[in-house]
Amino acid sequence: MKTIAPFQNAPIGMVCFDRGLTLLECNESAANLFGARCVAGESLCSIGDLSEICSELSTWLLTTERTLSLESGKNGRRLEFQCWLSDTDLVYALVKDATEKARDTARMNLLATAVEQAWESVCITDAELDSPGPHFVYCNRGYEALMGYREAEVLGLSPRIHQGPLTDKAVLARLKQNLRNGTNFHGEAINYKKDGSPFWLEWKISPIKDEAGKIINFIAFQRDITPLKEAQQRARDLSSIMAHELKAPLTSINGALGLLQISYEPESADELLTIGMDSIQRLLRLINDILEVEQLEDRKFELKLDVFSVRRLFTSVQQTLQNYIPENNLHIVIDLPKDLNLYADIDRITQVLINLTSNALKYSPKGGTVTLRGLVAEDNSVRLSVHDQGPGIREENLTKLFFRFQQLAAEDGVPREGSGVGLAIAKSLVESHGGKIGAESVLGEGSTFWFQLNGNGHFPHEQEASMSPSSVLLVDDNELFASFIKRRMTSLGYLVNRVTSLNNIGAALKTFTPQMCIVGSETVGAVDAVASIGDAKPQIPIVTVSGFGTDGEGLISSISPSKLSAEQFIEQLQRKLLR
């Protein structure tokens, strides 16, 4: 066909057609791009894969617009059309292969999306290194999550907003020198978030250069490495403990055994063996403490939550520790105006209170008094505290107390044994309950260690929601049956709250409303228990059970009086709960 003379050999495609999309002229480049033979007089729509283009052209020709830009793509190729309507009502179009351009655009869009959605902080600055530069020109969502700023808040500002008194100036100097030289930088330093909190930041910064090799921007990849730094510090602390705490008892054991080996003197053997055994016990305590704090920090334990009396807790600790240091004639007193109730793991909280109380006794003067107090805090949680009459703790040391291996020198100069992990264990246990722990002290007047937990009927809303519709109250002192009920009902999605005596039922029912109560008929006060539940919550169904038959492996095989199998009993409970 006749082609448009000026563009016959042009590398760019050229076509001409009328308003009816009838092809009038086409050069060779256009025909190659279409991948089809072009014949004048044919409809443009019959050429190759131009049906999509023709639809858009027809719509455009119905408007008053004189120009149109569009793209069409099939079979992995993409064509770009630049069209204009001439004064003679003919349409001319330039056709270009836009396949690579489309791939580049898609690649850039994918890259932009990936960077924007990356969890790691990515930010880009201009290349102005002298103050007040450089300036932020882009920050992704990872940066916003890490630093606490929204992108709009920092665009145009300098990354220096994240530096503070703890930021290492030597690292900043090396960073600036690397950037001036156009080389990559990798470093670590303390930075500051929007709320002013410091944290350890790892930087990886690279220059962005134009085609001429000129630096036009810097891109920084950042992440919070505070947990890593804390782990490294714990490793250093552990090395220090190994060097100091283990050295003394091992030296004592070695010396005692060495003397026994050289010369066995019956009159001194008992004393040497005692030294060795005491040192071994000290080593075991240290190792157990280290293992326990690791387990607690990794949350490798399960809380067995229940309602119990604070007075019962205090009395137990008092009886356990009253003769902790008998030669010092110390006293433990309880200051509890009225009884309070906690919802917690009684064994774990007893461990916390024993730790705090034994520390208080350790630092108390001869004849001193340690006071255990309980009260309802302003937020309606229960606050328990241990007050001593010891030498006190300096204010700057209070924040260090709950970190592992922190053994502060006593203000009275008296050395005291300890692994330095007891308070770290107490902190982990309290926080695992969703509580908080702290200390207050005045030099010369003693110290008070306290912790707060939910109790006395006060729980977070989400806990109430989880307890209310799907909870079961179990009143039973038989460990085998209680274990069976807890295991089976928990697997079915029910929360089982257990009390073992009549005294705890009232407190439990104030804390939550169960969907059912299961009462073991052999429990002490079972009849009174049924009556008290009915009086307090008359709408709650009560199931009484007795006669737990067991198989050869000690598993429950039947439940009297109806001789139900264990599985039948659980099925009946389910039917009652689902009504």
Side-chain angles (χ1 to χ4, degrees):
M1 65 175 285
K2 180 182 176 182
T3 58
I4 303 168
F7 299 98
Q8 183 175 4
N9 299 316
I12 190 170
M14 178 73 179
V15 295
C16 176
F17 50 91
D18 61 20
R19 280 182 171 272
L21 303 184
T22 300
L23 184 63
L24 302 177
E25 296 182 273
C26 176
N27 73 350
E28 186 177 351
S29 294
N32 290 335
L33 289 172
F34 295 153
R37 186 168 167 269
C38 298
V39 179
E42 288 186 348
S43 171
L44 193 65
C45 302
S46 65
I47 299 175
D49 298 317
L50 299 183
S51 57
E52 178 186 345
I53 289 289
C54 290
S55 175
E56 295 190 49
L57 287 171
S58 298
T59 302
W60 167 58
L61 289 170
L62 295 175
T63 70
T64 58
E65 297 294 329
R66 306 294 296 181
T67 61
L68 174 68
S69 296
L70 50 85
E71 287 186 6
S72 174
K74 282 189 178 181
N75 301 321
R77 292 191 62 198
R78 196 150 194 89
L79 298 181
E80 180 182 296
F81 290 77
Q82 297 290 333
C83 309
W84 69 94
L85 186 64
S86 70
D87 293 337
T88 59
D89 248 11
L90 296 180
V91 179
Y92 293 91
L94 297 178
V95 187
K96 294 188 292 185
D97 188 341
T99 304
E100 289 301 319
K101 176 186 174 183
R103 287 174 181 167
D104 289 343
T105 300
R107 182 173 176 272
M108 292 304 295
N109 289 339
L110 175 62
L111 179 61
T113 301
V115 171
E116 182 63 22
Q117 296 182 9
W119 66 268
E120 192 170 52
S121 169
V122 180
C123 54
I124 300 174
T125 68
D126 59 25
E128 180 57 54
L129 292 177
D130 294 324
S131 184
H135 308 90
F136 285 114
V137 297
Y138 170 79
C139 300
N140 75 338
R141 297 177 193 173
Y143 167 87
E144 294 179 345
L146 176 64
M147 299 297 190
Y149 287 96
R150 290 180 292 105
E151 182 187 39
E153 294 179 278
V154 298
L155 291 182
L157 301 181
S158 169
R160 291 185 176 89
I161 62 175
H162 298 305
Q163 297 165 14
L166 297 179
T167 307
D168 191 331
K169 300 300 187 291
V171 173
L172 296 179
R174 182 166 65 86
L175 164 63
K176 190 171 184 178
Q177 188 59 49
N178 278 44
L179 298 186
R180 283 200 186 282
N181 295 338
T183 57
N184 294 329
F185 170 82
H186 181 200
E188 301 169 354
I190 291 178
N191 265 25
Y192 291 79
K193 300 188 180 187
K194 181 180 179 179
D195 61 8
S197 58
F199 71 103
W200 275 99
L201 181 76
E202 179 187 42
W203 281 318
K204 291 181 180 178
I205 305 178
S206 299
I208 302 174
K209 301 178 182 180
D210 62 15
E211 294 179 355
K214 179 184 176 183
I215 298 174
I216 55 174
N217 292 98
F218 295 104
I219 183 168
F221 298 87
Q222 306 168 317
R223 66 187 183 105
D224 185 349
I225 57 170
T226 304
L228 175 62
K229 287 293 185 179
E230 290 175 346
Q232 291 172 345
Q233 184 60 49
R234 287 198 298 269
R236 287 192 291 269
D237 291 339
L238 182 57
S239 297
S240 175
I241 287 294
M242 298 292 282
H244 295 85
E245 292 295 325
L246 300 185
K247 184 177 180 180
L250 285 173
T251 300
S252 297
I253 294 169
N254 185 61
L257 293 178
L259 289 173
L260 285 173
Q261 187 180 39
I262 294 170
S263 175
Y264 181 81
E265 298 289 342
E267 59 273 16
S268 62
D270 285 346
E271 182 181 353
L272 293 173
L273 287 172
T274 298
I275 292 172
M277 290 302 297
D278 288 346
S279 298
I280 289 171
Q281 290 301 318
R282 181 179 170 188
L283 281 175
L284 289 173
R285 285 195 301 272
L286 176 60
I287 292 169
N288 287 334
D289 283 347
I290 292 172
L291 291 175
E292 181 166 15
V293 78
E294 291 289 347
Q295 183 186 53
L296 291 172
E297 289 182 352
D298 291 340
R299 293 292 188 262
K300 294 179 179 177
F301 66 98
E302 180 183 353
L303 294 177
K304 299 176 181 177
L305 301 176
D306 207 346
V307 178
F308 59 89
S309 159
V310 171
R311 186 172 298 280
R312 170 189 168 194
L313 171 69
F314 280 0
T315 301
S316 173
V317 172
Q318 182 188 50
Q319 292 173 348
T320 301
L321 295 177
Q322 184 58 66
N323 296 315
Y324 179 67
I325 310 178
E327 64 273 19
N328 284 357
N329 191 28
L330 300 170
H331 304 281
I332 300 174
V333 299
I334 295 173
D335 180 8
L336 193 64
K338 64 175 183 178
D339 197 10
L340 304 173
N341 295 308
L342 281 181
Y343 183 75
D345 185 322
I346 187 170
D347 292 333
R348 294 296 189 176
I349 295 306
T350 300
Q351 183 180 356
V352 171
L353 196 60
I354 284 179
N355 181 287
L356 300 183
T357 307
S358 60
N359 278 348
L361 292 168
K362 187 191 303 182
Y363 285 89
S364 293
K366 289 186 177 181
T369 298
V370 170
T371 305
L372 309 183
R373 290 194 177 95
L375 53 86
V376 178
E378 291 182 1
D379 62 356
N380 208 32
S381 61
V382 173
R383 180 181 176 113
L384 307 184
S385 64
V386 180
H387 177 74
D388 65 52
Q389 298 172 326
I393 305 166
R394 294 184 185 275
E395 185 176 355
E396 60 269 24
N397 288 332
L398 286 174
T399 56
K400 304 176 184 177
L401 290 171
F402 296 95
F403 291 99
R404 296 197 302 174
F405 309 126
Q406 290 293 331
Q407 291 177 277
L408 305 177
E411 295 296 333
D412 57 5
V414 177
R416 294 169 173 87
E417 280 193 5
S419 63
V421 298
L423 290 177
I425 291 174
K427 181 174 184 289
S428 292
L429 288 173
V430 170
E431 290 179 350
S432 70
H433 282 78
K436 52 187 177 181
I437 190 170
E440 302 161 358
S441 185
V442 177
L443 285 180
E445 297 182 14
S447 304
T448 300
F449 285 78
W450 57 267
F451 61 94
Q452 288 181 212
L453 298 174
N454 290 327
N456 259 33
H458 175 68
F459 297 95
H461 294 303
E462 60 270 19
Q463 192 175 47
E464 290 177 347
S466 67
M467 292 167 64
S468 180
S470 57
S471 59
V472 174
L473 175 63
L474 173 63
V475 185
D476 197 278
D477 56 6
N478 184 298
E479 294 296 333
L480 176 62
F481 185 70
S483 175
F484 166 72
I485 290 294
K486 279 195 171 187
R487 183 177 68 254
R488 293 306 313 277
M489 297 306 290
T490 300
S491 69
L492 294 172
Y494 295 95
L495 179 65
V496 178
N497 297 278
R498 179 194 178 199
V499 297
T500 58
S501 70
L502 178 65
N503 295 334
N504 296 328
I505 292 175
L509 292 177
K510 289 179 182 178
T511 303
F512 66 97
T513 299
Q515 200 170 347
M516 173 184 287
C517 291
I518 303 173
V519 181
S521 64
E522 297 176 7
T523 303
V524 176
V527 175
D528 293 334
V530 171
S532 66
I533 294 170
D535 291 341
K537 307 281 185 178
Q539 75 280 11
I540 299 175
I542 302 172
V543 176
T544 58
V545 293
S546 65
F548 318 124
T550 58
D551 59 19
E553 296 180 353
L555 300 177
I556 292 178
S557 59
S558 64
I559 298 173
S560 297
S562 54
K563 297 296 183 182
L564 292 172
S565 70
E567 295 305 320
Q568 290 171 332
F569 177 68
I570 293 297
E571 288 176 6
Q572 287 205 5
L573 286 183
Q574 265 194 288
R575 283 197 290 270
K576 285 181 177 291
L577 286 165
L578 293 174
R579 283 178 183 172

